[in-house]
Amino acid sequence: MKPKLCLIWITLIFVRLNFSHAQYADRQSEPIQNDTLMGDLPESINEDLLSLLESWHIDNFTKPEENCLDEETDTFFPDSIYRKRMQSLPFLILMNYNETVRKCIDLYAGKMRNKVRYMMGMSCYYFPMIEQKLDKAGLPVELKYLTIVESALNPVARSHKGACGLWQFMLPTAKNSGLEINSLIDERFDPVRSTDAACIYFQRLYDIFKNWHLAIAAYNCGEGAVLRAIRRSGGNRDFWRIYPHLPRETRSYLPYYMAAAYVMEYHEEHGICPIMPDFSVSIDTLMVERNLTFEQIANILQIDKETIKFYNPQYKREIIPGSIKPSTLCLPVKNLYTDIEDGKDSARTSRLDELMAVCTPAADAETEQIQTDEPQYISYTVKSGDTLSGIASKYRGVTVKKIQTANKMTTTRLKIGQILKIPQA
């Protein structure tokens, strides 16, 4: 996009949203500096909002939420109000309030308030799915707010360290949590599969620490760094007591999580209104059973290729490798079925039939997989003191050799938090 056209486009968007672009630029153009009290800032804090505006999903945010009073500046509240609100949140995870958390709240509700508007809009698309999966796994639903700190709800976010996706998985952790990463697919960018992996990782960390504050800190820096901080603090297991012994970014990680949860819950009190998405949040999932390119799908259904990329960000080369194994394809429902129901466009209906000829509904594919004779597994999270022989003895017909084969292990060494596949007899 040419610089002059880009400037006109951005200006028109903010005029339509009734924002003052000049005031907005003053608040957002300067990177936010680190603070000794909070430690290093998460990368999502300083992510360039203008680059997000140029991406497809932000281009499709055009509707401010109705019946919400939007303000350009934050409202001041005394500490007592913040403390009462934090204590009133219906969360399992304890939300602390202190000077560090207040600084983080001030940042989200102040300099970052325009970014919060867009993140709230993105949450309309991602949070229902995330909440469902967290609830099914028996985890606190409020863990969803970690995606605000991790990626600013940008599904294709990449950190300078190589972490990717909504949940910002590093490659080894992603693979250990069951995600597929190869030349064609990176499931770290798949919101559904990466959320499944996040649930597995959260449960593993909580099993180790039995404390959500420490588990959340370990999600950022790894369980080893948190265990070292506990040892250096004399065995203390309170986050705020081990705070000085944690890596600098992790010191700010939990406070920013608490601040993000607070601002998302109390946005109206701070005069922040969501910018609602104008793209479809209703999607259908098909199973593709042969190789199919995004260009082919776009041509068959007459859908913009960028739309296909948004709903299927896990395919690195815009190729769905369905001939290797059945692979998912997500598309807006309106692009798949509207014309069939209305019966107004027979040509488009035939194009949909053409796509369906190379796809199988997801439910049918799952039924076929259940009926196969492939071996079944259950997951086991390694705990302190576990051995392969001890784990094998817990399951009928399971041997050390079978566990090693199922997990492609060449030694009997185990790591706390490691997830093993246990074959079922």
Side-chain angles (χ1 to χ4, degrees):
M1 183 179 291
K2 294 181 179 180
K4 186 175 181 180
L5 291 176
C6 181
L7 180 59
I8 294 172
W9 175 76
I10 292 171
T11 303
L12 287 173
I13 286 179
F14 281 99
V15 168
R16 183 173 182 180
L17 297 178
N18 296 317
F19 289 150
S20 167
H21 187 75
Q23 292 177 352
Y24 165 79
D26 288 341
R27 289 200 303 271
Q28 290 288 130
S29 59
E30 292 293 328
I32 300 165
Q33 301 301 313
N34 290 336
D35 186 295
T36 56
L37 183 64
M38 295 189 292
D40 289 345
L41 295 165
E43 284 192 41
S44 62
I45 297 294
N46 272 328
E47 189 173 11
D48 183 6
L49 184 56
L50 290 184
S51 68
L52 287 179
L53 284 170
E54 293 171 2
S55 66
W56 181 88
H57 53 290
I58 295 298
D59 186 24
N60 283 269
F61 279 67
T62 57
K63 301 185 300 183
E65 185 181 69
E66 297 178 359
N67 304 318
C68 180
L69 183 60
D70 210 10
E71 301 288 350
E72 283 301 310
T73 58
D74 191 18
T75 303
F76 174 81
F77 295 103
D79 289 341
S80 59
I81 296 295
Y82 282 121
R83 189 170 289 107
K84 182 178 179 180
R85 288 175 180 170
M86 296 286 277
Q87 292 172 350
S88 298
L89 289 170
F91 293 167
L92 179 64
I93 300 172
L94 179 64
M95 294 286 138
N96 299 128
Y97 178 77
N98 54 37
E99 185 180 357
T100 304
V101 174
R102 167 127 198 182
K103 279 178 170 281
C104 297
I105 292 173
D106 288 344
L107 192 54
Y108 275 123
K111 291 184 177 180
M112 290 184 60
R113 61 194 292 110
N114 281 306
K115 193 171 186 178
V116 169
R117 290 181 173 104
Y118 287 103
M119 290 191 290
M120 292 182 67
M122 290 300 291
S123 73
C124 296
Y125 179 65
Y126 291 114
F127 276 3
M129 176 273 295
I130 294 173
E131 290 168 354
Q132 184 178 25
K133 289 187 174 293
L134 289 169
D135 182 64
K136 184 177 180 180
L139 298 168
V141 174
E142 58 268 25
L143 286 170
K144 65 185 178 182
Y145 293 122
L146 278 178
T147 56
I148 301 293
V149 185
E150 285 289 347
S151 63
L153 279 176
N154 178 4
V156 294
R158 294 176 182 266
S159 78
H160 73 281
K161 294 181 180 179
C164 297
L166 282 180
W167 295 98
Q168 288 292 280
F169 273 107
M170 297 292 287
L171 192 146
T173 306
K175 286 194 168 184
N176 196 34
S177 298
L179 293 181
E180 181 179 0
I181 302 171
N182 54 45
S183 297
L184 296 176
I185 297 174
D186 190 338
E187 289 188 332
R188 290 178 295 177
F189 295 112
D190 183 334
V192 175
R193 291 287 296 121
S194 65
T195 300
D196 288 332
C199 289
I200 292 172
Y201 194 30
F202 287 140
Q203 188 62 65
R204 184 192 316 168
L205 293 172
Y206 186 76
D207 287 345
I208 295 171
F209 295 103
K210 306 298 182 185
N211 178 304
W212 277 116
H213 287 180
L214 299 183
I216 289 171
Y219 186 87
N220 178 255
C221 64
E223 54 264 43
V226 175
L227 290 170
R228 285 193 295 272
I230 291 172
R231 286 197 301 270
R232 290 169 182 169
S233 68
N236 205 299
R237 300 181 69 83
D238 179 85
F239 173 83
W240 303 104
R241 297 292 183 87
I242 70 171
Y243 184 94
H245 305 286
L246 290 167
R248 282 183 56 83
E249 182 176 323
T250 307
R251 295 176 205 170
S252 65
Y253 188 72
L254 184 66
Y256 272 114
Y257 162 69
M258 293 177 175
Y262 167 86
V263 171
M264 294 291 279
E265 291 284 338
Y266 289 104
H267 63 94
E268 288 192 35
E269 285 79 357
H270 288 266
I272 302 174
C273 296
I275 304 302
M276 304 304 291
D278 206 25
F279 57 82
S280 174
V281 297
S282 297
I283 62 170
D284 203 355
T285 302
L286 309 175
M287 294 301 293
V288 178
E289 296 184 326
R290 64 184 66 180
N291 291 350
L292 197 60
T293 68
F294 284 7
E295 187 170 354
Q296 287 174 305
I297 299 167
N299 289 337
I300 291 172
L301 294 183
Q302 297 297 294
I303 300 175
D304 185 86
K305 193 164 70 171
E306 291 301 310
T307 299
I308 303 171
K309 288 171 63 176
F310 171 72
Y311 289 105
N312 302 272
Q314 68 271 32
Y315 297 113
K316 297 161 68 172
R317 301 183 184 277
E318 301 182 10
I319 300 171
I320 303 176
S323 62
I324 299 174
K325 67 175 185 179
S327 303
T328 59
L329 168 63
C330 295
L331 291 171
V333 170
K334 65 180 182 181
N335 292 104
L336 289 174
Y337 302 111
T338 301
D339 293 325
I340 288 181
E341 293 173 357
D342 294 345
K344 296 177 180 178
D345 187 348
S346 58
R348 187 161 183 177
T349 298
S350 66
R351 287 195 292 266
L352 178 59
D353 291 340
E354 183 181 345
L355 178 66
M356 293 298 291
V358 296
C359 299
T360 300
D364 294 344
E366 290 174 359
T367 301
E368 291 174 7
Q369 290 175 4
I370 292 173
Q371 293 173 347
T372 65
D373 294 327
E374 294 182 0
Q376 300 296 309
Y377 301 95
I378 62 172
S379 297
Y380 180 85
T381 303
V382 176
K383 301 177 179 62
S384 178
D386 276 341
T387 63
L388 276 183
S389 59
I391 295 171
S393 66
K394 297 179 181 181
Y395 302 93
R396 187 178 66 178
V398 176
T399 65
V400 169
K401 182 65 175 176
K402 287 182 178 180
I403 297 177
Q404 287 180 304
T405 301
N407 294 275
K408 300 179 181 179
M409 298 171 63
T410 57
T411 73
T412 58
R413 290 196 299 269
L414 296 174
K415 180 181 177 183
I416 294 175
Q418 179 181 357
I419 295 180
L420 296 176
K421 293 192 297 185
I422 308 298
Q424 297 299 284

